[in-house]
């Protein structure tokens, strides 16, 4: 047995060294540790799972262990499609949002059931028969690698290996040794598991089970803070850590329903005279960088050119990089620096309007997602309608046409001349709605092959189609007395910084969103010159989508000559009609005690975009405010410390992690 283990260890070490060399990685402590940690973790974890066959367990325990086994399988399919590993945030969504999981399975697996499900069933039945035959004939001379002598085991391994070699030679030769090590390493572990199962010594079995569990817990806990910078290898260390940590991520079932304090505030509130209608268009997952009005090379939104000529374009950050936090923050004016209790104690946008205004929130996706309905159904909300829930569509990830929601809005507007409403579109949310005759960018596919450009094509097609829909909507609305705001709840990543979709990264592609205001010319003439000049000047600096309520209330006060209502409220958002020179805007992936997947925080002003990453080895990245690609952070020589001081000095006052930014900046000065 000792000789066999030495032989296996030597072969393993050889593949590890070849993998490091051929992929031209810098051999550092962390890369070596990552490889060793990954392999050791899978080995220990496999022995731990083998304990399931040694004792009797309840159905609940077996179900839990089955889920643990399922994670690496899901990760494998995810990597095959998207060239990245499942993040902790997505794992948490899968475990805590069953509808989301079912939608993913339906969208990703069922269309390929002939290639995945059917072969899997056949292979499972085949494996069961052969394994039963093997373990039914106990051998006293059993050795750790006995399965390699079984044809039913070695033949599928060889076939799988040949398939992977063919793929590597065609698409990515540098993955040849990585995938070879993955396949044969997995085969070795399976053989070792079988060996452990058939051991006669119960004491040794118990030791493997107990010590394996303790070591796994210890390693996962100790290495957690460095998870973002462990190099990904064939046995992905980051995925192991994120899988473990996801079980301790806060649940996603908390509600932001308004409290009794908000009820009392609403009852005592005297709405100002608002002489205009308001329509806010929230284009879910739309990042600013893919719109022509923001300098994109493609004319995705060209049909809105005439509307843009009459509008005002701002550089804005969303308060978060995911919907179920960004939307409540946007429509209460409370940013991520506040505890969620502030949101629950606050009034919503439509609560500030007079009661005779018809308020509506019409969305294409489900209003039940993450209990968002509890927030939207505030005191003055008269009509909440969802295509997914009220028009027969099953779930929010279906290919659903935003046209259905727009037609519903047009029906509402014919019946209600005074309104404050929100249209929440979903075309740009994955899997990116494609409409026949509105797909100029090809090829379009949302699977891994030829990523990311083919997926970007799908994304741009969705923008192209939705722009046509919204152009027709705007032509129908009376623009003489209606303010229109086009924005988004978050952006979308396509691997620019290693992350796809949203809810994972805090660079500009995830949080820089469109913020386009149309104000009727008749209203503009009534705005005082100083305030109007502030409005235009603020187009030159970062603002926040939390500025909507303060701006609307300030405008109502300016037009009615009444007291400035918004100044009586404790918003973190600011009015666009106020002088915002020197303001620091923030965005965060963490709302404490509500949704906190990642503690990263962005601080931005007219000079710099500062990304604070507390749980990473590289905790600070600084970019120029006008650097919308953010490929390389600025080095010390290119940073004006005096201009950066504006963010550093305000950071401790506007966010709990601001003090950490101050400490890091002191190190920057010392270096």
């Amino acid at each position: 047995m000792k000789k066999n283990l030495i032989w296996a260890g030597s072969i393993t070490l050889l593949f590890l060294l070849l993998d490091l060399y051929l992929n031209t990685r810098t051999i550092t402590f962390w890369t070596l540790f990552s490889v060793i940690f990954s392999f050791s973790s899978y080995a220990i974890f496999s022995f731990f799972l083998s304990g399931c066959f040694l004792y009797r367990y309840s159905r609940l325990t077996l179900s839990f262990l089955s889920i643990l086994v399922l994670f690496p399988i899901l990760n494998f399919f995810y990597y095959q499609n998207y060239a990245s590993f499942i993040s902790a945030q997505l794992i948490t969504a899968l475990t805590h949002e069953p509808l989301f999981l079912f939608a993913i399975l339906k969208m990703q697996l069922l269309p390929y059931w002939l290639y995945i499900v059917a072969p899997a069933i056949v292979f499972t039945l085949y494996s069961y028969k052969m394994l039963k035959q093997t373990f039914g004939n106990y051998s006293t001379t059993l050795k750790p690698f006995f399965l390699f002598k079984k044809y039913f085991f070695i033949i599928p391994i060889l076939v799988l290996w040949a398939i992977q070699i063919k793929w590597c030679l065609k698409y990515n030769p540098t993955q040849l040794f990585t995938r070879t090590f993955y396949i044969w390493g997995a085969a070795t572990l399976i053989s070792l598991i079988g060996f452990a199962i058939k051991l006669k010594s119960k004491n040794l079995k118990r030791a493997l089970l107990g010590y394996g569990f303790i070591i796994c817990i210890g390693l996962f806990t100790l290495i957690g803070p460095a998870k973002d910078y462990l190099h990904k290898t064939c046995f992905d260390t980051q995925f192991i850590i994120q899988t473990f940590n996801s079980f301790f991520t806060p649940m996603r079932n908390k509600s932001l329903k308004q409290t009794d304090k908000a009820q009392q505030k609403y009852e005592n509130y005297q709405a100002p005279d608002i002489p205009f209608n308001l329509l806010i268009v929230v284009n879910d997952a739309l990042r600013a960088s893919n719109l022509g009005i923001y300098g994109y090379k493609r004319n995705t939104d060209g049909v809105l050119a005439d509307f843009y000529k009459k509008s005002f374009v701002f550089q804005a950050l969303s308060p978060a990089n995911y919907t179920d936090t960004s939307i409540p923050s946007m429509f209460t004016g409370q940013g991520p620096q506040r505890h969620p209790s502030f949101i629950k104690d606050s009034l919503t946008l439509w609560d500030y309007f007079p009661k005779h205004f018809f308020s509506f929130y019409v969305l294409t996706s489900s209003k039940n997602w993450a209990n968002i309905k509890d927030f939207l159904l505030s005191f003055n909300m008269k009509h909440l309608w969802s295509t997914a829930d009220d028009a027969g569509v099953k779930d929010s990830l279906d290919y659903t046409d935003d046209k259905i929601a727009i037609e519903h809005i047009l029906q509402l507007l014919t019946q209600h001349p005074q309104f404050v409403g929100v249209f929440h579109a979903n075309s740009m949310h994955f899997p990116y709605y494609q409409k026949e005759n509105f797909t100029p960018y090809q090829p379009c596919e949302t699977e891994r092959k030829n990523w990311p450009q083919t997926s970007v094509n799908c994304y741009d097609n969705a923008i192209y189609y939705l722009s046509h829909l919204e152009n027709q909507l705007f032509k129908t609305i009376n623009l003489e007395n209606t303010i229109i705001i086009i924005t988004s709840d978050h952006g979308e990543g396509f691997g620019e910084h290693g992350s796809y979709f949203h809810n994972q990264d805090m660079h500009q592609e995830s949080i820089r969103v469109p913020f386009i205001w149309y104000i009727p010319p008749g209203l503009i003439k009534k705005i005082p010159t100083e305030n109007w000049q502030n409005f235009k000047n603020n187009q030159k600096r970062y603002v926040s989508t939390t500025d909507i309520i303060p701006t609307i209330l300030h405008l109502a006060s300016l037009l009615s000559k009444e007291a400035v209502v918004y100044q009586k409220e404790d918003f973190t958002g600011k009015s666009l009609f106020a002088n915002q020179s020197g303001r620091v805007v923030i965005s965060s992936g963490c709302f404490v005690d509500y949704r906190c997947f990642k503690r990263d925080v962005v601080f931005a002003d007219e000079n710099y975009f500062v990304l604070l990453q507390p749980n990473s080895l590289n905790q600070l990245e600084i970019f120029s405010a006008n650097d919308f690609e953010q490929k390389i952070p600025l080095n010390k020589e290119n940073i004006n410390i005096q201009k950066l001081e504006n963010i550093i000095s305000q950071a401790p006052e506007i966010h709990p992690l601001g003090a950490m930014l101050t400490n890091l900046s002191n190190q920057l000065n010392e270096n």
Side-chain angles (χ1 to χ4, degrees), residues 176-187:
L176 182 61
F177 284 95
T178 298
R179 296 193 175 210
T180 297
F181 177 58
Y182 183 94
I183 293 171
W184 289 105

Side-chain angles (χ1 to χ4, degrees), residues 445-569:
E445 58 184 29
T446 55
E447 298 176 16
R448 180 188 175 183
K449 186 178 180 181
N450 298 322
W451 262 51
Q453 187 53 54
T454 54
S455 190
V456 173
N457 291 340
C458 299
Y459 185 76
D460 289 345
N461 287 336
I463 298 175
Y464 183 79
Y465 173 59
L466 185 58
S467 296
H468 282 77
L469 290 181
E470 292 176 353
N471 184 53
Q472 294 299 319
L473 173 64
F474 300 156
K475 288 182 177 180
T476 307
I477 294 175
N478 181 6
L479 296 181
E480 294 183 359
N481 67 339
T482 303
I483 293 177
I484 297 178
I485 304 171
I486 301 176
T487 188
S488 180
D489 51 350
H490 52 74
E492 189 83 339
F494 292 99
E496 292 88 350
H497 294 91
S499 297
Y500 292 89
F501 316 121
H502 47 274
N503 195 17
Q504 302 182 45
D505 186 67
M506 291 298 292
H507 288 86
Q508 69 86 23
E509 63 269 16
S510 296
I511 60 173
R512 179 171 163 260
V513 297
F515 204 41
I516 303 170
W517 284 64
Y518 167 80
I519 302 178
L523 295 181
I524 294 176
K525 295 178 181 178
K526 300 177 182 179
I527 299 174
T529 303
E530 180 182 357
N531 298 105
W532 183 244
Q533 190 61 46
N534 289 335
F535 185 84
K536 293 192 294 184
N537 290 340
N538 287 330
Q539 293 178 266
K540 305 174 184 177
R541 56 179 62 95
Y542 275 120
V543 296
S544 172
T545 55
T546 59
D547 296 344
I548 291 177
I549 294 180
T551 303
I552 292 298
L553 293 180
H554 193 182
L555 177 58
S557 299
L558 294 174
L559 296 177
S560 63
K561 309 299 182 181
E562 296 180 2
V564 183
V565 178
Y566 84 96
Q567 291 182 348
K568 300 178 183 178
E569 301 290 339

Side-chain angles (χ1 to χ4, degrees), residues 609-669:
F609 180 106
V610 179
L611 174 56
L612 177 64
Q613 305 172 102
N615 292 339
S616 299
L617 296 181
N618 183 21
Q619 295 180 323
L620 190 63
E621 291 185 2
I622 302 176
F623 303 91
S624 169
N626 296 321
D627 180 5
F628 299 135
E629 294 185 352
Q630 298 183 346
K631 292 183 178 180
I632 302 176
L634 296 173
N635 54 39
K636 178 184 176 182
E637 291 72 21
N638 295 326
I639 298 174
N640 187 320
I641 301 298
Q642 292 181 342
K643 292 183 178 180
L644 184 62
E645 183 63 26
N646 179 59
I647 292 179
I648 295 172
S649 61
Q650 295 188 52
E653 300 177 3
I654 60 178
H655 195 277
L657 292 179
M660 184 178 181
L661 179 60
T662 302
N663 295 333
L664 291 173
S665 65
N666 291 335
Q667 298 177 14
L668 185 66
N669 290 330

